[in-house]
Amino acid sequence: MKRILLASAGCLALSVGAAQAEYVLHILHSNDFHSRIEPINTYDSTCDAETLEKKECFGGVARMAAAIAAKRDEIKAAGGNVIVLDAGDQYQGSLFYTTYKGKDTVEFMNAIGYDAMALGNHEFDDGPDGALILLDGAKFPVMSGNLDVSQSNQLRGKLQDTLTLDVGGEKIGLVSTLAMDTPETAAPGPAVIFQDDMESLKGDVAALKEAGVTKIIALTHVGYHRDLDYAAQVPGLDAVIGGHSHTLLGDMEGAAGAYPTMVKGADGAEVPVATAYAYGKYLGHLTLTFDDAGKLTKAEGAPILLDQSLPEDEAIAARVKEMAGPIDELRQRQVAEIAAPIDGARESCRAKECEMGNVVAEAMLARVASQGVTIAIQNGGGLRASIDAGPVTMGEVYSVLPFQNTLATFEATGETLVKALENGARQYEDAAGRFAQVAGLRYTLDPKAEVGHRISAVEVKSGDGWAPIDPAATYKVVTNNYVRGGGDGYKMFADAANAYDFGPDLADVLAEWLAQQGAGFKPALDGRITVK
């Protein structure tokens, strides 16, 4: 019987009796890159020239490529075994995706030399045809074991169920799953059939075991908490490399748990779970040691912070610069025309109902209304500019919404929503960015009242009229991923039910909504926020 002894930063484990021939496997892994082809700032959006000059940027595909190459070469030079994996969602999140729709992803991932990738939900943002760009272009296997694509004319035969790699003379089995709610968060289409993820994973692991594979790793895109379930419930699983939830693991501030997180598995042994945040800010490095019987005896590692102290791959950096040319053109592209300016001034949107707040909140709500969402909340500090009358360019839209925030939906009680509005009013006198712009909701704010008691007369849209908010009722809400995650003091949303933070970019949502309004559009104030 094997005994596992845990250490906080990883895991030390020794089987009873000495192993005759240890096998060590290094796994370099990324996840949820979300088209951050260029370096990012501390807010996970594209770095500007000033921040780059200050050496305060992270990641970018050129730095990711150099870090993987350096670590892989170092391991191989020492006679070690290494594989490079990605846990999905390379697509969506920057103007590179808007411009190249995955062709850039394929080019750079092939240049890096990934060994396998799990399909992410955002690979389906442009339907099966969008996913096909990756599946046809990748020089490495793309996986998702719980998807039946046999009925899809585009995808049939192009998605791996399981995979066996020969690494240093040993067979490494890979199994994979994709989040079951992908049909709600992306557009896989009716021909892509989702099978139960847990049962699918159990069956695929069993099949590999029966084929004589003794080292099996799950490469998933389902989120950290579901990965913990897999580790606990799937017999024969040796490790889980995951994505989807953008979870930070390690010993740094803000981490959700240890890297790797150890879970008591179905076989009684400890199973490591690892993920590496998102946006290319970190490169995961997990090291697994197996005994001669194929049993895991040690799991350790840490994510590598890809700050500007690490070099970039010069050839890839030059290619990124070249491909950025059309993106500059995109910033000049006209996306709409309006008949009157939209006020997004700081002094307006952090103190009262403002035109840009109404516009953005209504755009958010319209995008997800078909999902039953009835309330939108947008932090005033997320609105950074006004838009003049006349033609509207994508560059102007990005000036209003520069943070690459995504739509986030969740459920909250009326009581929680009132607390959120109180948070929005908490630092009113400081013109704090937490001030709540809304749609489908209206309220009164008294700045002179005691903090925590400034909000009254909260009502929700009910048909063509309004009704008092019900503290006990549950409402479906849309905001941006920053607010939903607890940013600007909205901690009451951080553990919200049925939360999904990875919808489309808010700037794209606004651009499309403005285009739909037509050239005669004029913003309006309707009294949804009353300040005494």
Side-chain angles (χ1 to χ4, degrees):
M1 178 180 292
K2 181 170 61 176
R3 293 183 301 177
I4 305 295
L5 305 176
L6 303 186
S8 60
C11 158
L12 275 196
L14 299 175
S15 59
V16 178
Q20 295 177 355
E22 284 189 341
Y23 175 84
V24 179
L25 177 67
H26 296 264
I27 303 172
L28 303 178
H29 61 97
S30 57
N31 58 276
D32 299 284
F33 192 70
H34 283 298
S35 191
R36 296 307 202 269
I37 302 300
E38 298 171 299
I40 60 171
N41 59 25
T42 189
Y43 301 104
D44 298 330
S45 45
T46 302
C47 254
D48 57 24
E50 181 181 354
T51 312
L52 280 167
E53 183 67 25
K54 291 179 180 178
K55 305 290 185 183
E56 295 175 353
C57 299
F58 306 88
V61 72
R63 185 166 287 109
M64 176 68 76
I68 289 175
K71 185 58 67 173
R72 182 169 49 199
D73 290 348
E74 173 190 325
I75 293 166
K76 287 187 174 182
N81 307 297
V82 59
I83 56 176
V84 182
L85 306 176
D86 183 83
D89 271 7
Q90 281 278 334
Y91 281 11
Q92 193 66 266
S94 80
L95 287 173
F96 268 81
Y97 180 74
T98 306
T99 306
Y100 296 107
K101 293 296 185 181
K103 293 178 181 178
D104 55 327
T105 295
V106 167
E107 177 178 339
F108 293 128
M109 291 189 79
N110 284 340
I112 288 172
Y114 279 89
D115 292 296
M117 174 185 175
L119 197 69
N121 58 307
H122 281 290
E123 272 72 71
F124 280 122
D125 275 1
D126 285 290
D129 288 337
L132 194 60
I133 293 172
L134 173 66
L135 297 180
D136 277 346
K139 295 179 180 178
F140 48 85
V142 181
M143 310 177 64
S144 203
N146 64 320
L147 300 193
D148 177 358
V149 295
S150 62
Q151 307 303 310
S152 170
N153 292 331
Q154 299 108 310
L155 306 182
R156 186 187 304 119
K158 297 187 176 183
L159 192 63
Q160 295 280 115
D161 185 6
T162 65
L163 180 65
T164 303
L165 301 175
D166 188 327
V167 185
E170 292 286 333
K171 291 181 178 180
I172 307 299
L174 296 179
V175 293
S176 184
T177 54
L178 175 59
M180 294 294 290
D181 65 351
T182 295
E184 300 170 18
T185 62
V192 177
I193 300 169
F194 281 71
Q195 301 168 327
D196 183 82
D197 59 329
M198 182 68 75
E199 294 308 311
S200 172
L201 202 64
K202 288 179 178 178
D204 286 342
V205 171
L208 286 176
K209 297 286 282 187
E210 188 174 345
V213 180
T214 61
K215 305 170 183 67
I216 301 176
I217 298 159
L219 179 61
T220 73
H221 193 83
V222 296
Y224 178 61
H225 292 292
R226 190 58 169 166
D227 284 335
L228 299 180
D229 291 341
Y230 291 163
Q233 299 177 37
V234 180
L237 201 56
D238 292 305
V240 183
I241 302 293
H244 189 52
S245 56
H246 299 203
T247 303
L248 178 63
L249 298 180
D251 58 5
M252 70 288 289
E253 183 179 355
Y259 181 106
T261 301
M262 304 302 297
V263 179
K264 186 175 182 180
D267 300 326
E270 298 287 333
V271 178
V273 175
T275 187
Y277 185 54
Y279 309 122
K281 188 172 184 177
Y282 293 89
L283 172 64
H285 182 193
L286 180 66
T287 305
L288 305 177
T289 302
F290 298 88
D291 66 17
D292 57 332
K295 299 296 183 181
L296 184 68
T297 61
K298 184 187 296 184
E300 56 190 347
I304 302 167
L305 179 63
L306 303 186
D307 61 20
Q308 283 188 260
S309 68
L310 300 179
E312 294 182 314
D313 181 291
E314 293 182 2
I316 291 181
R319 179 64 174 145
V320 170
K321 185 175 182 180
E322 177 186 357
M323 295 179 76
I327 292 175
D328 291 332
E329 296 175 16
L330 175 63
R331 293 187 175 106
Q332 301 303 315
R333 178 171 61 86
Q334 181 177 335
V335 295
E337 186 169 347
I338 57 177
I342 306 173
D343 175 29
R346 178 189 180 99
E347 56 268 27
S348 300
C349 295
R350 298 182 181 214
K352 58 187 178 181
E353 176 189 1
C354 74
E355 292 173 349
M356 191 64 75
N358 287 2
V359 166
V360 172
E362 293 292 348
M364 294 164 68
L365 190 56
R367 184 60 176 259
V368 294
S370 63
Q371 300 177 26
V373 178
T374 60
I375 293 170
I377 297 177
Q378 164 67 33
N379 57 321
L383 308 173
R384 312 298 287 194
S386 302
I387 296 179
D388 293 334
V392 178
T393 65
M394 198 65 201
E396 287 180 287
V397 173
Y398 275 102
S399 294
V400 175
L401 300 166
F403 300 114
Q404 294 177 340
N405 290 135
T406 53
L407 283 194
T409 54
F410 62 99
E411 294 180 356
T413 63
E415 180 182 11
T416 297
L417 290 172
V418 173
K419 288 180 180 178
L421 296 177
E422 288 285 2
N423 172 70
R426 183 178 184 84
Q427 298 175 345
Y428 183 87
E429 51 280 340
D430 298 325
R434 64 182 61 199
F435 186 89
Q437 300 290 333
V438 297
L441 184 75
R442 66 185 188 184
Y443 67 94
T444 297
L445 186 158
D446 181 359
K448 299 182 180 65
E450 181 183 355
V451 170
H453 300 278
R454 292 177 168 178
I455 300 298
S456 62
V458 182
E459 296 180 313
V460 295
K461 197 75 182 289
S462 178
D464 294 330
W466 295 87
I469 196 166
D470 182 350
T474 296
Y475 299 90
K476 291 186 177 181
V477 187
V478 62
T479 185
N480 60 66
N481 61 310
Y482 171 71
V483 168
R484 214 292 302 163
D488 265 348
Y490 286 91
K491 295 180 181 179
M492 67 291 299
F493 293 160
D495 297 316
N498 296 318
Y500 184 75
D501 297 337
F502 315 120
D505 189 292
L506 188 53
D508 291 334
V509 171
L510 177 58
E512 292 171 12
W513 188 84
L514 287 173
Q516 291 166 3
Q517 306 313 302
F521 174 73
K522 296 181 179 180
L525 302 178
D526 55 21
R528 65 186 68 182
I529 302 175
T530 299
V531 179
K532 290 184 177 181

